Amino acid sequence: MHSFTYVRPQSLEEASTFLSEHREQARILAGGTDLLVQIQSSSVTPDYIVDIKHIPELNVLSFDETGGLRIGAAVPCFKIWNHHEIAHLYPGLIDAVQLIGGTQIQGRATLGGNVANASPAADTIPSLIVHGAICDVIGRQGIRSIAVQDICIGPGQNALAPDEFLLRFQIKPPSIGFGAHYLRFIPRNEMDIAVASAGASLVLNPDDQTVQYARIAIGAVAPTPLLVIAAGESLIGQPLTNESIDRAARLAAQAAQPITDIRGTISQRKHLAAVLTRRALVKAQERALQSLKGASH
Amino acid sequence: MSQRIHVQTEINGEAQDFLCDPRESLLDVLRNTMGLTGAKEGCRNGNCGACNVIMDGILVNSCLVLAVEAEGSSITTVEGINTPVGLHLIQQKYMDHAALQCGICTLGLIVATKALLDHNPAPTEHDVRLWLAGNLCRCTGYDKIVRAVLDAAEAMRENV
Ligand SMILES: Cc1cc2nc3c(=O)[nH]c(=O)nc-3n(C[C@H](O)[C@H](O)[C@H](O)COP(=O)(O)OP(=O)(O)OC[C@H]3O[C@@H](n4cnc5c(N)ncnc54)[C@H](O)[C@@H]3O)c2cc1C
Ligand code: FES
Ligand code: FES
């Protein structure tokens, strides 16, 4: 194994200074569930490993009615799904967080690592996208915000500058009538990488239950997880019917540009993109209706 | 350029420190430096769960934790699960239900079961299967393991 020096910055400032000085030779370590596997197989050979888990700002996990949800980039999935208030308010995010590996992987794996690693099949990315998540990124120049759909630019490639790293994710408080769901297709029950996946979110009008807002994102069917704007927009102002849901699902499948590999073929993945989008919408609708019901009591 | 790092931890309730190379995993150090060979190496890439330990209350694969990352943390290995008077109820129930054959997966499963029951003393069968999805067993077909865990949970609830 390639030998490296381990560093453990205690502050944002210390981490970004170190990263700007060592640029290409350094790799950030969060939960290590991607990075340590990549180092063991020598697919990456960093000289420095920068463990960001001791920086307080990266460990924040909080919700409030005005600011919404904040999840530090280094918070492990296990802590996210065990936060009862957050799990209750954002079940469509928990869908994805609980799919990553098994319990042991969830004990380490972070949202920051899942997003920065930029796998086309990364489970949390479509879910974060349909929740409208914004990621704060920090570098020598300060903090900037990027929408999650703009972070991945190719398989394993993200849009960060070498001195930058992910600080935290922010999601607005759920509005009344909001519902979301994420699901994937794998040949096993657990512990596998998505062949295809889809996330959907909706806000339903309290008066007539037509769609006020909709977002659809698909995974493992393109070089990066995709936000399919046309699929979401096709639903706006419409009631959710079999026809409107089918139309959105077809638009999602049309946007897919899958490849054939060991996990699946192009035609299977196109088919799955439609099926999973439809199912994601149906479950998102169920949750949106629950939210409306909760609000009317 | 072999950097030796001094790491201070608590392992199974006792303060322990060790020197390690930054490349060594927590699993390497537990087995090779500390002589705690209960955690097994099945895959070294996070897929099998044979190396499970509990770190600051959270179940982890020790093959995917660098030993240097254990600085300041409290670790429970399967060796720390035995009670002073002998087997833990979880271990006893694995035996009663014949929930092991070759045993290579068993130590990781015992640790994963302990973490589950600390977290959720009354799991359903579904909870057990989901929680243990990251522990592979080539021998038992899992049903006996699930029965042992549910029985251990019940026995532990009666014990308190
Ligand atoms: C057995 C197993 C099963 C898995 N199952 C799944 C699955 O079902 N679905 C899935 O999506 N993934 C899965 N994974 C992959 C992995 O667990 C996830 O991608 C996880 O979220 C990565 O997070 P991490 O904190 O472990 O990242 P790390 O390994 O620490 O980092 C991953 C990459 O991101 C970079 N990075 C980390 N944090 C930051 C940051 N804050 N800013 C900038 N860059 C950063 C690192 O430098 C590295 O390149 C699995 C992995 C294993 C070993
Ligand atoms: S050896 Fe760690 S998960 Fe297999
Ligand atoms: S008892 Fe042999 S692998 Fe589980």
Side-chain angles (χ1 to χ4, degrees):
Chain A
M1 201 196 296
H2 185 72
S3 88
F4 54 78
T5 301
Y6 171 85
V7 290
R8 185 192 290 132
Q10 304 290 331
S11 69
L12 291 172
E13 158 99 73
E14 202 187 319
S16 53
T17 307
F18 188 90
L19 286 170
S20 60
E21 282 161 7
H22 295 90
R23 292 178 182 270
E24 304 300 335
Q25 309 95 291
R27 277 291 181 138
I28 288 169
L29 173 69
T33 60
D34 279 315
L35 185 65
L36 297 179
V37 175
Q38 289 159 4
I39 290 177
Q40 257 158 30
S41 66
S42 299
S43 60
V44 297
T45 52
D47 296 330
Y48 298 96
I49 288 213
V50 184
D51 184 351
I52 46 138
K53 287 189 293 296
H54 296 265
I55 303 173
E57 289 88 339
L58 271 79
N59 289 298
V60 168
L61 180 63
S62 70
F63 174 80
D64 68 77
E65 295 293 341
T66 42
L69 177 60
R70 281 168 179 241
I71 305 182
V75 176
C77 291
F78 183 79
K79 288 199 176 157
I80 302 173
W81 66 262
N82 271 293
H83 191 296
H84 295 296
E85 187 186 18
I86 292 172
H88 175 73
L89 288 168
Y90 298 96
L93 182 62
I94 303 303
D95 292 336
V97 161
Q98 275 194 314
L99 280 177
I100 295 194
T103 324
Q104 308 84 345
I105 295 291
Q106 290 157 20
R108 303 295 283 173
T110 65
L111 292 187
N114 197 233
V115 171
N117 192 58
S119 158
D123 281 306
T124 69
I125 302 178
S127 175
L128 286 165
I129 292 174
V130 299
H131 283 83
I134 301 292
C135 187
D136 291 337
V137 169
I138 182 160
R140 280 316 285 282
Q141 310 297 323
I143 295 177
R144 66 182 175 116
S145 300
I146 322 185
V148 169
Q149 62 269 22
D150 296 331
I151 296 179
C152 300
I153 53 176
Q157 284 179 292
N158 64 45
L160 303 187
D163 64 311
E164 286 184 322
F165 59 99
L166 306 179
L167 169 55
R168 65 179 159 243
F169 296 89
Q170 306 206 47
I171 300 178
K172 283 195 297 197
S175 5
I176 292 169
F178 177 82
H181 182 49
Y182 171 79
L183 79 171
R184 68 181 183 185
F185 175 79
I186 56 171
R188 301 162 68 188
N189 289 331
E190 302 297 334
M191 295 285 292
D192 211 337
I193 304 297
V195 178
S197 71
S201 70
L202 295 165
V203 177
L204 297 182
N205 185 323
D207 301 325
D208 59 4
Q209 293 167 19
T210 55
V211 177
Q212 284 183 329
Y213 170 93
R215 256 192 177 195
I216 289 165
I218 49 180
V221 292
T224 65
L226 283 185
L227 166 63
V228 190
I229 293 174
E233 281 182 348
S234 75
L235 293 164
I236 311 271
Q238 308 282 317
L240 278 175
T241 59
N242 280 336
E243 291 70 45
S244 66
I245 289 177
D246 274 344
R247 186 174 345 112
R250 262 199 317 278
L251 287 166
Q254 275 168 25
Q257 313 140 27
I259 54 166
T260 292
D261 66 10
I262 50 162
R263 293 207 169 75
T265 61
I266 291 176
S267 63
Q268 180 194 20
R269 285 191 156 116
K270 283 240 173 203
H271 174 71
L272 283 168
V275 172
L276 296 172
T277 299
R278 195 178 304 126
R279 290 184 190 170
L281 279 168
V282 169
K283 183 79 184 176
Q285 177 187 27
E286 188 188 310
R287 287 176 170 162
L289 290 172
Q290 269 167 17
S291 158
L292 288 181
K293 222 168 122 196
S296 69
H297 286 310
Chain B
M1 130 179 136
S2 182
Q3 181 196 11
R4 300 291 287 175
I5 301 185
H6 179 216
V7 178
Q8 290 180 294
T9 57
E10 186 188 286
I11 302 179
N12 299 329
E14 280 178 39
Q16 299 275 8
D17 49 1
F18 53 80
L19 286 173
C20 67
D21 182 290
R23 287 170 295 183
E24 283 181 282
S25 68
L26 178 59
L27 176 64
D28 294 333
V29 165
L30 288 172
R31 292 181 58 84
N32 306 335
T33 311
M34 309 308 287
L36 294 167
T37 55
K40 302 296 180 202
E41 181 179 300
C43 66
R44 213 179 167 79
N45 58 26
N47 274 284
C48 77
C51 64
N52 281 181
V53 302
I54 299 171
M55 194 171 164
D56 296 326
I58 293 183
L59 184 67
V60 301
N61 291 320
S62 61
C63 69
L64 289 187
V65 176
L66 294 175
V68 288
E69 290 182 87
E71 171 66 36
S73 68
S74 159
I75 290 157
T76 303
T77 70
V78 71
E79 288 88 347
I81 290 179
N82 293 344
T83 67
V85 288
L87 293 182
H88 189 280
L89 261 175
I90 295 170
Q91 295 167 315
Q92 187 60 49
K93 293 297 180 188
Y94 269 72
M95 286 171 63
D96 294 349
H97 287 267
L100 62 148
Q101 289 177 30
C102 78
I104 192 81
C105 69
T106 311
L107 299 118
L109 273 158
I110 300 272
V111 175
T113 304
K114 177 74 166 58
L116 166 64
L117 299 183
D118 287 347
H119 173 79
N120 176 3
T124 62
E125 176 176 341
H126 178 75
D127 294 336
V128 173
R129 288 187 185 272
L130 198 61
W131 187 278
L132 298 179
N135 293 83
L136 299 186
C137 174
R138 286 283 281 149
C139 306
T140 64
Y142 301 103
D143 282 356
K144 292 175 173 181
I145 293 171
V146 173
R147 268 179 254 147
V149 174
L150 289 170
D151 196 13
E154 197 181 319
M156 285 165 67
R157 288 198 301 273
E158 281 164 9
N159 250 14
V160 285

